Amino acid sequence: MYKRVCRLARMQFLWAIVIFACAPADIVAGDREQLNITPELDWLLDSLDRTLAVNQDFVSGKKVRISNLINSLNNTRDVEQRYWFSHDLYDEYRSFDSDSAIYYTNICSEIASKLHRAEWLDEMNIHRTYLYAATGLLDDAQKSVDAVDVDGLSEVLLIPYYQNLLFMHTHRDAYIGTVNTNLPYTDKTREVLKELTSRIPESDSSYPWFYGWRSLNDVDSAAAAIKPIKAIVDGGDIDNSRFATNSWILSRLYERMGDDENKLKYLILSAISDIRSSNKEIASLQEIAYLLYLNGNLERANAYINYCIQCANDYKSRVRVGKLANLQSQISQAYNDRIKAQSDKINLALWSVTVILLILVGAVVFIVIQMKKLRRSRARLNYANEQLKRHVEELDETRGQLEEANSKLSKLYDGVKQDAESLSQTNNAKEKYIADIFGICSDYISKLDDFRKSIYRMIVAKRFDEVRELTKTPELSHGELKELYSNFDKIFLKVYPGFVDDFNELLRPDQRIKLKKGELLNTELRIYALVRLGINDSIKISKFLHCSVQTVYNTRQRTRNKSDIPNDKFAEAVQTLGKLSF
């Protein structure tokens, strides 16, 4: 009767699980990803998050350097020194605050005019070309570049001139939308690249950037450029602003090759470098946010795009703010859609839970009824036990006859040897049977205890005080678990009576296990008793012993270290211990 009650309760519990499983599985899982986020990419994204969390530390360092330069500028009266301090301030502000950078280029231009230094005026016009292009003021950028006397430029300024001219053209192409992955630049941009690459030496720190741009024209050129640029990036300093631009162009080359994993990898490295150098004219993080948005990772995409908008506002980049606001709107809409979908799924799950509650309440009532029947069955069992005692005396009389028969059976021992092979197969079946029985018992105790806790919570919610008092104590499952271990120890040692001594023979003499008084097996021996029965999976062992998988793993590792047998052979040695005794 008791087994029948347990079986019916288990059926009710399984039915509740089936109903809950009917609820949509993606309440927790979320959207499916399109990109393959490898462990390396996941680690890099975590690094990007950590860097973003402390971005104010890098900004503070930037502001300290700026403050020192401003103090130096204010404390000098030498005109040429004022020019160089203003020039240094332009360098600091160049990718940090466009308005301030333009302000200091204007100061430099005023000083250059006073000193009649035409090359300095040209240099400031070159710098303003970059600043105007970066903030979307393309007409002003064109005016600045037109004001440069190209024929009079020195070799030192020719490379920056073509660099910023290229920067202006690529930004104009991007704003107009005339380029894409298969057409990375227009004919005018190609002409500037050709002129620039004919002048810039390979030793120049910006060479990888332009070499990468030139190689985007076709797949073969992109494939050839990846190896040398990757070597420069992998060996570069992430705190150097050149690292960010080189990583970005490398990601573009991988994009040209259709390698999405490496494209995202080097975009992340570029974004980390941008943040560490306090670069507000940031493009890599915007691209990452868009990729994660397409990939369904809305939390990170939203955090990244908010940072990009903050940078664009700080840098006063009008065009970039507009584009970022559009992407932020898309991400916010996707976020709202996901929240609504999850809300609908949660409502469905609540209805499913309600049905489960009703089923479990019915199961409690059913179990109470069955327990009453069980008590009546026990009374009848006690009566049967009294009758059984009366037959004990008869069994004593037959014992003598059995001893006589045993002497005859010993003569048949030689014949039993012929059946040894058959008996071995039978013993194997018995071993599996013992392991399965104890696995089932352990699973049932776990489920029954979980069932008790669930009933307790729900009954409390319904204010069924009597049932709460009945179910809130865990003594039943603890007692059954203790009894299970006791029965397991007794039965196992009956099957393998010499297991403890045999197991100690595997260990070094000073590391052998000594049982406490009254102990048949301890946890360490019980784990390897299960291994002897063929249960070698630490997860199954942890479920049987009701402890963590890590505890099982640590105990097994600690025990193996006590032996001179190699770790990978220890379990095999345990499985050969002892002789069966049935």
Side-chain angles (χ1 to χ4, degrees):
M1 177 63 69
Y2 182 72
K3 290 182 178 179
R4 182 185 175 195
V5 172
C6 294
R7 187 165 54 253
L8 289 172
R10 190 161 56 246
M11 289 175 64
Q12 294 283 354
F13 182 75
L14 291 174
W15 175 244
I17 291 176
V18 169
I19 291 178
F20 185 76
C22 293
D26 57 354
I27 290 177
V28 178
D31 296 339
R32 291 184 178 181
E33 294 186 343
Q34 298 172 352
L35 286 173
N36 179 27
I37 303 298
T38 63
E40 181 186 16
L41 289 178
D42 192 48
W43 181 85
L44 284 172
L45 286 170
D46 287 341
S47 298
L48 176 56
D49 291 341
R50 291 192 294 271
T51 305
L52 201 58
V54 296
N55 75 87
Q56 286 303 318
D57 294 343
F58 304 114
V59 172
S60 297
K62 184 86 166 179
K63 289 181 177 179
V64 168
R65 293 194 299 274
I66 290 173
S67 178
N68 291 336
L69 285 172
I70 291 174
N71 288 336
S72 298
L73 176 63
N74 293 335
N75 291 329
T76 183
R77 295 184 177 278
D78 184 272
V79 177
E80 189 166 337
Q81 283 188 351
R82 289 182 61 80
Y83 174 84
W84 291 115
F85 282 131
S86 297
H87 192 288
D88 290 343
L89 282 165
Y90 156 76
D91 288 335
E92 290 291 343
Y93 278 119
R94 180 175 182 271
S95 59
F96 188 68
D97 185 333
S98 63
D99 285 353
S100 297
I102 290 172
Y103 171 77
Y104 284 105
T105 61
N106 292 336
I107 290 179
C108 287
S109 294
E110 291 175 3
I111 295 173
S113 296
K114 290 179 181 179
L115 298 178
H116 305 290
R117 300 294 294 270
E119 69 276 14
W120 289 359
L121 286 171
D122 287 334
E123 183 181 5
M124 290 305 109
N125 281 320
I126 292 171
H127 292 330
R128 277 192 288 270
T129 300
Y130 169 85
L131 295 171
Y132 288 139
T135 54
L137 302 176
L138 296 175
D139 289 341
D140 292 332
Q142 187 65 53
K143 291 177 182 178
S144 294
V145 79
D146 290 341
V148 176
D149 180 13
V150 181
D151 296 333
L153 287 179
S154 64
E155 286 296 326
V156 175
L157 289 180
L158 270 175
I159 292 176
Y161 168 77
Y162 283 110
Q163 288 176 348
N164 289 343
L165 183 61
L166 175 65
F167 184 81
M168 182 185 72
H169 285 316
T170 54
H171 272 59
R172 177 183 285 117
D173 294 341
Y175 294 152
I176 297 173
T178 58
V179 293
N180 52 49
T181 302
N182 295 323
L183 182 65
Y185 42 77
T186 60
D187 292 340
K188 184 175 290 187
T189 302
R190 184 182 290 106
E191 292 175 5
V192 177
L193 273 171
K194 183 179 179 181
E195 182 66 29
L196 179 59
T197 51
S198 68
R199 295 177 177 276
I200 188 169
E202 293 186 11
S203 59
D204 192 283
S205 61
S206 59
Y207 179 81
W209 165 267
F210 301 106
Y211 175 48
W213 264 109
R214 186 184 63 186
S215 303
L216 285 173
N217 193 42
D218 58 78
V219 174
D220 292 337
S221 298
I226 284 177
K227 184 176 180 180
I229 296 178
K230 182 177 183 299
I232 293 172
V233 171
D234 290 347
D237 180 7
I238 199 169
D239 289 325
N240 190 308
S241 60
R242 283 295 178 192
F243 183 93
T245 56
N246 291 340
S247 296
W248 184 86
I249 197 63
L250 184 57
S251 76
R252 290 294 307 275
L253 291 168
Y254 277 117
E255 180 184 29
R256 194 75 166 93
M257 299 297 298
D259 188 341
D260 292 335
E261 181 180 336
N262 277 308
K263 170 190 173 183
L264 180 55
K265 172 183 175 179
Y266 286 99
L267 277 177
I268 295 171
L269 290 173
S270 176
I272 292 174
S273 180
D274 279 333
I275 296 168
R276 293 179 67 88
S277 60
S278 299
N279 181 10
K280 300 289 186 177
E281 216 283 294
I282 187 167
S284 303
L285 193 63
Q286 176 183 345
E287 294 185 45
I288 296 170
Y290 181 68
L291 290 174
L292 294 181
Y293 158 67
L294 295 179
N295 202 41
N297 191 339
L298 301 181
E299 291 80 4
R300 271 187 168 132
N302 189 58
Y304 294 167
I305 205 65
N306 285 336
Y307 178 77
C308 289
I309 289 176
Q310 177 188 336
C311 288
N313 286 325
D314 292 344
Y315 194 70
K316 286 83 175 179
S317 180
R318 291 82 175 168
V319 177
R320 190 180 295 277
V321 168
K323 290 189 174 183
L324 290 171
N326 182 48
L327 179 55
Q328 185 187 43
S329 176
Q330 296 178 46
I331 294 172
S332 298
Q333 183 60 45
Y335 216 105
N336 292 334
D337 292 343
R338 174 183 285 184
I339 292 173
K340 184 179 182 302
Q342 289 182 339
S343 177
D344 294 340
K345 293 170 185 176
I346 290 172
N347 289 336
L348 179 58
L350 288 175
W351 280 106
S352 300
V353 170
T354 302
V355 173
I356 293 172
L357 288 174
L358 294 175
I359 292 174
L360 293 178
V361 169
V364 171
V365 174
F366 175 79
I367 289 175
V368 171
I369 295 173
Q370 294 301 318
M371 291 299 290
K372 291 181 180 179
K373 293 181 180 179
L374 183 61
R375 284 195 292 271
R376 291 196 292 268
S377 297
R378 284 178 177 171
R380 290 195 294 269
L381 182 62
N382 290 335
Y383 175 74
N385 286 336
E386 292 178 0
Q387 290 184 326
L388 183 62
K389 290 179 182 179
R390 298 175 185 174
H391 296 290
V392 172
E393 293 180 359
E394 297 176 6
L395 291 174
D396 288 339
E397 293 177 4
T398 59
R399 186 176 297 168
Q401 298 174 358
L402 287 174
E403 290 176 355
E404 203 173 303
N406 283 336
S407 64
K408 296 178 181 180
L409 288 174
S410 63
K411 297 177 182 180
L412 300 176
Y413 177 73
D414 292 337
V416 173
K417 289 182 179 180
Q418 299 175 0
D419 299 328
E421 183 177 353
S422 174
L423 180 59
S424 177
Q425 296 175 355
T426 303
N427 286 339
N428 291 336
K430 289 179 180 178
E431 290 181 56
K432 183 178 183 302
Y433 173 76
I434 292 171
D436 290 343
I437 287 297
F438 281 102
I440 292 170
C441 290
S442 179
D443 287 343
Y444 168 66
I445 291 172
S446 298
K447 292 177 181 178
L448 186 60
D449 198 35
D450 291 340
F451 179 72
R452 174 191 60 75
K453 293 176 181 176
S454 299
I455 293 300
Y456 173 71
R457 289 193 296 268
M458 291 182 288
I459 294 303
V460 169
K462 295 296 183 176
R463 301 182 181 225
F464 296 144
D465 296 337
E466 297 82 358
V467 180
R468 179 183 60 193
E469 292 297 321
L470 178 64
T471 59
K472 70 180 180 180
T473 175
E475 292 181 358
L476 177 61
S477 61
H478 290 171
E480 290 180 345
L481 186 60
K482 184 177 180 181
E483 183 179 357
L484 173 66
Y485 291 159
S486 177
N487 289 335
F488 172 78
D489 295 347
K490 292 175 182 177
I491 293 173
F492 181 81
L493 290 177
K494 285 181 180 179
V495 178
Y496 299 98
F499 176 78
V500 176
D501 293 335
D502 292 342
F503 186 81
N504 271 327
E505 289 297 321
L506 299 178
L507 308 180
R508 293 190 293 273
D510 60 331
Q511 298 292 334
R512 291 177 179 172
I513 298 171
K514 296 180 181 179
L515 294 171
K516 298 178 182 178
K517 184 176 181 180
E519 275 189 338
L520 297 178
L521 297 175
N522 59 16
T523 302
E524 188 175 7
L525 288 169
R526 204 169 286 128
I527 289 173
Y528 279 96
L530 292 172
V531 173
R532 177 61 184 88
L533 292 175
I535 305 175
N536 198 33
D537 188 343
S538 294
I539 295 176
K540 291 183 179 179
I541 293 174
S542 69
K543 288 182 179 179
F544 179 82
L545 297 178
H546 288 260
C547 60
S548 68
V549 176
Q550 189 63 42
T551 298
V552 174
Y553 176 82
N554 291 341
T555 302
R556 293 182 69 174
Q557 182 65 36
R558 187 169 55 251
T559 304
R560 287 196 297 265
N561 291 337
K562 297 178 181 179
S563 173
D564 293 327
I565 299 173
N567 287 352
D568 56 344
K569 301 293 184 182
F570 190 77
E572 295 178 7
V574 173
Q575 291 175 349
T576 63
L577 292 180
K579 291 185 177 180
L580 293 173
S581 177
F582 285 102

